[in-house]
Amino acid sequence: MLTFEELGLKPEILKAILEIGFENPTPIQEKTIPHLLNTNKDLIALAQTGSGKTAAFGLPVINQIDADSNKTQAIILCPTRELAIQIANDFDAFTKYTKKLDVLPVYGGASIEGQIKSLNKGAQIVVGTPGRVVDLINRKKLKLEDIQWVVLDEADEMLNMGFKDDLDFILSHTPETRQTLLFSATMSKEVLRISNDYMESPEEISSGKRNQGADKIEHYYYVVNGRDKYLALKRIADMNPNIYAIIFCRTRRETQEISDALVSDGYNADCLHGDLSQAQRDAVMGRYRKRHLQMLVATDVAARGLDVTDITHVINYNIPDELETYVHRSGRTGRAGKEGISIAIVGPKDSGKIRQLEKIIGKPFVKSEVPAGEAVIEKQLFSFIDKVLETEVDEKQLNPLMENISDRFADLSREELIKKFVSLEFNKFLEYYKNSNDLNTRERGGRDADRGDRGGRKSGNYATLFLNIGEKDNLNSGTLLGFMNGLKEIPNGIDIGKIDIQRNFSFLEVEARHEKTVMNALNDSEFDGRKVSAEPKTGGGERKGSDRRRRSSGGSGESPRAKSGFKGRFGDSKRSSGSRPRVKASSGGRRK
Ligand code: AMP
């Protein structure tokens, strides 16, 4: 790997980026920087947000700008006002030790007069949204005849947003001698057209699937019926107490509705969509950036300029109409080398879209189960206990009161006291999830069905057993299947469906016609020295809109993946030796 020094950047730029904390170039920077420093050729770079693309084009452009001339030499076009500001801020940081360079962001929704004033003073680099740039060109305030570099950042997004004519107009006003750089997360037909029309034999580079961002993102999907989507969303959030998420919806109305419902259910959420004024949007984004909000519900357009590096989860409340939009959505997490989770909540008929998305992102989606109410309760309980343990005590303030407090609790044992504190936090929560439904539904025409066909699975009619053993007894799907294969009361060849191992207990799907036999065999057995108890799982109704209140956890740095036990599936389980296993993981079964 080359260092920034070896890429040929000036010492004053090296000093600035070192100060920002960039130690080594990202893959896209390693390719783009020498290209821009050493050649005049046009460049197409396939890169997502999070790949370090701003510095990839920014550093070499800054390196070559003539600071002695105040003519506009570089123009960066990007889809949103927020992104324009972000890029300009990044450029300001990169030029901290460079001889005075003026970088001016220009965008709609703000007074054009101020921007014209700044332009009159001279700005060597202009970063703008296409509409405002066209306006400034038409008013003859922005002069492009000395432009040497044109950067089209997030070209696919600009085209999706309908800036095609504006881009044509701007590009046709720049000199032919310019070097054009096009950055795009996806290569659509429209992007290709722009490159054909305005670029000369461009070189193509890609940070491809290997870029920092994409590599660190894991993709999961949950299959639920339409009416259960909101409940599934809440369970996913509840299963991740330190979630810091962005939830994408399709329409402004849906965005508002989901956000309202979350707020009325006690979550720390707000929304971002086009019906809000710019001031309202700025306020919401500010609260989200500061982590005063844990969940931001947004439309694609409204969320475009949002630059937040440590989002833990991107949740697609539905799959976007334009499948490629998924790439942008998921690119909001897994940024700057961090890990991220992208989730799609889909309906039973959406399997085809998931398969198409897998092709686009070049990675598989993992099918996951919406966690059962019991699992959510357990997760929240232990998260609460962790927080209690981490809570700092202000001895000075508390000590004078301790005698009094101890007197009040004098009649309670330690166990009673713990139970009371836990109940104070949890009674409403327990009530809410008591008898909660299984929200998962089978995928139609998807992986389950495919496998079922190949494996000749029968009706898929499973009964679910509750077992009193779980992770803490060293149980996993492999050891459970192995254990069951060792029980001679279980006849050969029984299909096992989903296995859901939780910390203290598990759920096991078995062919319904063998439910009793398996249950009896398990009830007569011991696993790892512990008497096993198996009983049919019971279900009930789930109340929506409970009035329970959820504390804001303000987001610690917990890795969502380290603790969430509900996602992912095991590979093939180990079976006990022998020719025909008593139980086998069904070809259609989903194991966890
Ligand atoms: P971008 O793709 O330009 O939106 O950058 C994503 C994030 O990565 C930003 O927060 C950058 O500050 C950060 N970043 C960019 N280049 C590097 C690098 N070489 N080393 C560490 N962080 C970087």
Side-chain angles (χ1 to χ4, degrees), residues 225-241:
N225 288 317
R227 63 173 183 275
D228 290 332
K229 272 191 172 186
Y230 177 69
L231 295 177
L233 171 68
K234 287 206 299 179
R235 286 213 198 158
I236 293 166
D238 286 343
M239 197 65 186
N240 293 278

PDB file of all heavy atoms in Angstrom, residues 225-241:
ATOM      1  N   ASN A 225     -45.556  -9.989   6.902  1.00  0.00           N
ATOM      2  CA  ASN A 225     -46.718  -9.478   6.175  1.00  0.00           C
ATOM      3  C   ASN A 225     -46.781  -7.961   6.323  1.00  0.00           C
ATOM      4  O   ASN A 225     -46.311  -7.420   7.330  1.00  0.00           O
ATOM      5  CB  ASN A 225     -47.999 -10.110   6.721  1.00  0.00           C
ATOM      6  CG  ASN A 225     -48.084 -11.569   6.316  1.00  0.00           C
ATOM      7  OD1 ASN A 225     -47.790 -11.908   5.160  1.00  0.00           O
ATOM      8  ND2 ASN A 225     -48.435 -12.429   7.253  1.00  0.00           N
ATOM      9  N   GLY A 226     -47.383  -7.313   5.319  1.00  0.00           N
ATOM     10  CA  GLY A 226     -47.420  -5.851   5.301  1.00  0.00           C
ATOM     11  C   GLY A 226     -47.901  -5.245   6.622  1.00  0.00           C
ATOM     12  O   GLY A 226     -47.316  -4.300   7.132  1.00  0.00           O
ATOM     13  N   ARG A 227     -48.918  -5.847   7.202  1.00  0.00           N
ATOM     14  CA  ARG A 227     -49.496  -5.254   8.413  1.00  0.00           C
ATOM     15  C   ARG A 227     -48.543  -5.365   9.610  1.00  0.00           C
ATOM     16  O   ARG A 227     -48.724  -4.685  10.615  1.00  0.00           O
ATOM     17  CB  ARG A 227     -50.842  -5.915   8.737  1.00  0.00           C
ATOM     18  CG  ARG A 227     -50.693  -7.383   9.035  1.00  0.00           C
ATOM     19  CD  ARG A 227     -51.987  -8.029   9.530  1.00  0.00           C
ATOM     20  NE  ARG A 227     -51.735  -9.418   9.869  1.00  0.00           N
ATOM     21  CZ  ARG A 227     -51.751 -10.403   8.990  1.00  0.00           C
ATOM     22  NH1 ARG A 227     -52.033 -10.167   7.726  1.00  0.00           N
ATOM     23  NH2 ARG A 227     -51.474 -11.646   9.367  1.00  0.00           N
ATOM     24  N   ASP A 228     -47.561  -6.247   9.517  1.00  0.00           N
ATOM     25  CA  ASP A 228     -46.648  -6.455  10.650  1.00  0.00           C
ATOM     26  C   ASP A 228     -45.345  -5.664  10.529  1.00  0.00           C
ATOM     27  O   ASP A 228     -44.453  -5.787  11.369  1.00  0.00           O
ATOM     28  CB  ASP A 228     -46.305  -7.941  10.788  1.00  0.00           C
ATOM     29  CG  ASP A 228     -47.493  -8.751  11.263  1.00  0.00           C
ATOM     30  OD1 ASP A 228     -48.350  -8.174  11.957  1.00  0.00           O
ATOM     31  OD2 ASP A 228     -47.566  -9.942  10.935  1.00  0.00           O
ATOM     32  N   LYS A 229     -45.218  -4.896   9.461  1.00  0.00           N
ATOM     33  CA  LYS A 229     -43.943  -4.209   9.229  1.00  0.00           C
ATOM     34  C   LYS A 229     -43.543  -3.306  10.381  1.00  0.00           C
ATOM     35  O   LYS A 229     -42.397  -3.287  10.808  1.00  0.00           O
ATOM     36  CB  LYS A 229     -44.042  -3.348   7.967  1.00  0.00           C
ATOM     37  CG  LYS A 229     -43.684  -4.108   6.750  1.00  0.00           C
ATOM     38  CD  LYS A 229     -43.532  -3.161   5.599  1.00  0.00           C
ATOM     39  CE  LYS A 229     -42.976  -3.956   4.451  1.00  0.00           C
ATOM     40  NZ  LYS A 229     -42.661  -3.119   3.331  1.00  0.00           N
ATOM     41  N   TYR A 230     -44.490  -2.539  10.841  1.00  0.00           N
ATOM     42  CA  TYR A 230     -44.165  -1.585  11.899  1.00  0.00           C
ATOM     43  C   TYR A 230     -43.749  -2.312  13.181  1.00  0.00           C
ATOM     44  O   TYR A 230     -42.796  -1.927  13.854  1.00  0.00           O
ATOM     45  CB  TYR A 230     -45.364  -0.660  12.156  1.00  0.00           C
ATOM     46  CG  TYR A 230     -45.115   0.306  13.281  1.00  0.00           C
ATOM     47  CD1 TYR A 230     -44.184   1.337  13.136  1.00  0.00           C
ATOM     48  CD2 TYR A 230     -45.761   0.164  14.496  1.00  0.00           C
ATOM     49  CE1 TYR A 230     -43.917   2.207  14.178  1.00  0.00           C
ATOM     50  CE2 TYR A 230     -45.508   1.033  15.542  1.00  0.00           C
ATOM     51  CZ  TYR A 230     -44.584   2.052  15.378  1.00  0.00           C
ATOM     52  OH  TYR A 230     -44.313   2.897  16.405  1.00  0.00           O
ATOM     53  N   LEU A 231     -44.476  -3.401  13.480  1.00  0.00           N
ATOM     54  CA  LEU A 231     -44.123  -4.172  14.688  1.00  0.00           C
ATOM     55  C   LEU A 231     -42.730  -4.773  14.536  1.00  0.00           C
ATOM     56  O   LEU A 231     -41.935  -4.807  15.484  1.00  0.00           O
ATOM     57  CB  LEU A 231     -45.146  -5.288  14.924  1.00  0.00           C
ATOM     58  CG  LEU A 231     -46.569  -4.829  15.247  1.00  0.00           C
ATOM     59  CD1 LEU A 231     -47.494  -6.025  15.390  1.00  0.00           C
ATOM     60  CD2 LEU A 231     -46.577  -3.998  16.522  1.00  0.00           C
ATOM     61  N   ALA A 232     -42.431  -5.241  13.318  1.00  0.00           N
ATOM     62  CA  ALA A 232     -41.095  -5.822  13.081  1.00  0.00           C
ATOM     63  C   ALA A 232     -40.029  -4.755  13.274  1.00  0.00           C
ATOM     64  O   ALA A 232     -38.987  -4.999  13.899  1.00  0.00           O
ATOM     65  CB  ALA A 232     -41.028  -6.401  11.673  1.00  0.00           C
ATOM     66  N   LEU A 233     -40.307  -3.557  12.774  1.00  0.00           N
ATOM     67  CA  LEU A 233     -39.350  -2.453  12.927  1.00  0.00           C
ATOM     68  C   LEU A 233     -39.069  -2.213  14.416  1.00  0.00           C
ATOM     69  O   LEU A 233     -37.925  -2.055  14.842  1.00  0.00           O
ATOM     70  CB  LEU A 233     -39.924  -1.194  12.277  1.00  0.00           C
ATOM     71  CG  LEU A 233     -39.159   0.096  12.530  1.00  0.00           C
ATOM     72  CD1 LEU A 233     -37.800   0.055  11.834  1.00  0.00           C
ATOM     73  CD2 LEU A 233     -39.945   1.313  12.034  1.00  0.00           C
ATOM     74  N   LYS A 234     -40.136  -2.205  15.204  1.00  0.00           N
ATOM     75  CA  LYS A 234     -39.951  -1.941  16.638  1.00  0.00           C
ATOM     76  C   LYS A 234     -39.157  -3.056  17.303  1.00  0.00           C
ATOM     77  O   LYS A 234     -38.310  -2.805  18.162  1.00  0.00           O
ATOM     78  CB  LYS A 234     -41.318  -1.811  17.316  1.00  0.00           C
ATOM     79  CG  LYS A 234     -41.999  -0.517  16.955  1.00  0.00           C
ATOM     80  CD  LYS A 234     -42.971  -0.061  18.007  1.00  0.00           C
ATOM     81  CE  LYS A 234     -44.081  -1.040  18.241  1.00  0.00           C
ATOM     82  NZ  LYS A 234     -44.992  -0.571  19.281  1.00  0.00           N
ATOM     83  N   ARG A 235     -39.423  -4.287  16.893  1.00  0.00           N
ATOM     84  CA  ARG A 235     -38.662  -5.377  17.519  1.00  0.00           C
ATOM     85  C   ARG A 235     -37.179  -5.279  17.169  1.00  0.00           C
ATOM     86  O   ARG A 235     -36.313  -5.534  18.003  1.00  0.00           O
ATOM     87  CB  ARG A 235     -39.194  -6.725  17.060  1.00  0.00           C
ATOM     88  CG  ARG A 235     -40.496  -7.003  17.730  1.00  0.00           C
ATOM     89  CD  ARG A 235     -40.681  -8.460  17.996  1.00  0.00           C
ATOM     90  NE  ARG A 235     -42.101  -8.663  18.222  1.00  0.00           N
ATOM     91  CZ  ARG A 235     -42.705  -9.808  18.077  1.00  0.00           C
ATOM     92  NH1 ARG A 235     -42.004 -10.868  17.694  1.00  0.00           N
ATOM     93  NH2 ARG A 235     -43.980  -9.911  18.305  1.00  0.00           N
ATOM     94  N   ILE A 236     -36.922  -4.932  15.914  1.00  0.00           N
ATOM     95  CA  ILE A 236     -35.515  -4.809  15.504  1.00  0.00           C
ATOM     96  C   ILE A 236     -34.860  -3.708  16.340  1.00  0.00           C
ATOM     97  O   ILE A 236     -33.747  -3.856  16.840  1.00  0.00           O
ATOM     98  CB  ILE A 236     -35.420  -4.521  13.987  1.00  0.00           C
ATOM     99  CG1 ILE A 236     -35.895  -5.730  13.194  1.00  0.00           C
ATOM    100  CG2 ILE A 236     -33.989  -4.151  13.598  1.00  0.00           C
ATOM    101  CD1 ILE A 236     -36.161  -5.461  11.722  1.00  0.00           C
ATOM    102  N   ALA A 237     -35.573  -2.603  16.500  1.00  0.00           N
ATOM    103  CA  ALA A 237     -35.018  -1.503  17.299  1.00  0.00           C
ATOM    104  C   ALA A 237     -34.838  -1.941  18.748  1.00  0.00           C
ATOM    105  O   ALA A 237     -33.806  -1.685  19.370  1.00  0.00           O
ATOM    106  CB  ALA A 237     -35.940  -0.291  17.217  1.00  0.00           C
ATOM    107  N   ASP A 238     -35.830  -2.630  19.295  1.00  0.00           N
ATOM    108  CA  ASP A 238     -35.750  -3.050  20.695  1.00  0.00           C
ATOM    109  C   ASP A 238     -34.638  -4.069  20.922  1.00  0.00           C
ATOM    110  O   ASP A 238     -34.078  -4.172  22.006  1.00  0.00           O
ATOM    111  CB  ASP A 238     -37.084  -3.663  21.145  1.00  0.00           C
ATOM    112  CG  ASP A 238     -38.151  -2.596  21.340  1.00  0.00           C
ATOM    113  OD1 ASP A 238     -37.780  -1.414  21.444  1.00  0.00           O
ATOM    114  OD2 ASP A 238     -39.340  -2.944  21.370  1.00  0.00           O
ATOM    115  N   MET A 239     -34.365  -4.831  19.876  1.00  0.00           N
ATOM    116  CA  MET A 239     -33.324  -5.856  20.003  1.00  0.00           C
ATOM    117  C   MET A 239     -31.938  -5.214  19.982  1.00  0.00           C
ATOM    118  O   MET A 239     -30.941  -5.860  20.287  1.00  0.00           O
ATOM    119  CB  MET A 239     -33.480  -6.829  18.827  1.00  0.00           C
ATOM    120  CG  MET A 239     -32.787  -8.122  19.006  1.00  0.00           C
ATOM    121  SD  MET A 239     -33.519  -9.032  20.382  1.00  0.00           S
ATOM    122  CE  MET A 239     -32.396 -10.401  20.477  1.00  0.00           C
ATOM    123  N   ASN A 240     -31.876  -3.956  19.581  1.00  0.00           N
ATOM    124  CA  ASN A 240     -30.593  -3.256  19.496  1.00  0.00           C
ATOM    125  C   ASN A 240     -30.684  -1.971  20.321  1.00  0.00           C
ATOM    126  O   ASN A 240     -30.845  -0.874  19.774  1.00  0.00           O
ATOM    127  CB  ASN A 240     -30.290  -2.918  18.026  1.00  0.00           C
ATOM    128  CG  ASN A 240     -30.049  -4.166  17.221  1.00  0.00           C
ATOM    129  OD1 ASN A 240     -28.952  -4.704  17.225  1.00  0.00           O
ATOM    130  ND2 ASN A 240     -31.079  -4.653  16.561  1.00  0.00           N
ATOM    131  N   PRO A 241     -30.548  -2.099  21.619  1.00  0.00           N
ATOM    132  CA  PRO A 241     -30.824  -0.946  22.484  1.00  0.00           C
ATOM    133  C   PRO A 241     -29.984   0.285  22.154  1.00  0.00           C
ATOM    134  O   PRO A 241     -30.424   1.397  22.397  1.00  0.00           O
ATOM    135  CB  PRO A 241     -30.485  -1.466  23.878  1.00  0.00           C
ATOM    136  CG  PRO A 241     -30.550  -2.953  23.776  1.00  0.00           C
ATOM    137  CD  PRO A 241     -30.176  -3.295  22.378  1.00  0.00           C
TER     138      PRO A 241
END
